[in-house]
Amino acid sequence: NPVVNSMRLTSSADLLGTQYYMMDTSGKQVLEGRLNESLTNVDVGMLLPGVYLVQVSGQQKFSVKVIKN
């Protein structure tokens, strides 16, 4: 962290197939996808620089703050 054009989401086997969401600071969803591999590459090149929140909702829900340069 920070990221420029792409970032990698690392997930355990129990999270494979789980959906992730990326929101800006106002709470607007700007990206979404699925964790299909233990290392999922996410293209963030089209996003404006700023702070974003990546949220994964599986059996456990967690969030990670990401800074985009």
Side-chain angles (χ1 to χ4, degrees), residues 18-38:
T18 302
Q19 193 117 13
Y20 66 85
Y21 305 92
M22 192 167 189
M23 279 112 9
D24 63 15
T25 54
S26 71
K28 178 183 173 189
Q29 183 178 312
V30 294
L31 276 176
E32 69 175 277
R34 217 169 262 293
L35 299 173
N36 293 321
E37 299 179 31
S38 58

Side-chain angles (χ1 to χ4, degrees), residues 5-68:
N5 290 318
S6 66
M7 67 178 182
R8 291 176 129 183
L9 299 178
T10 305
S11 58
S12 58
D14 60 327
L15 289 175
L16 293 180
T18 302
Q19 193 117 13
Y20 66 85
Y21 305 92
M22 192 167 189
M23 279 112 9
D24 63 15
T25 54
S26 71
K28 178 183 173 189
Q29 183 178 312
V30 294
L31 276 176
E32 69 175 277
R34 217 169 262 293
L35 299 173
N36 293 321
E37 299 179 31
S38 58
L39 277 176
T40 302
N41 287 313
V42 180
D43 180 11
V44 295
M46 78 300 271
L47 297 176
L48 294 174
V51 177
Y52 295 89
L53 191 66
V54 177
Q55 191 172 65
V56 177
S57 299
Q59 290 180 351
Q60 297 177 348
K61 187 176 183 177
F62 62 92
S63 302
V64 177
K65 183 170 74 170
V66 174
I67 299 169
K68 163 71 166 78

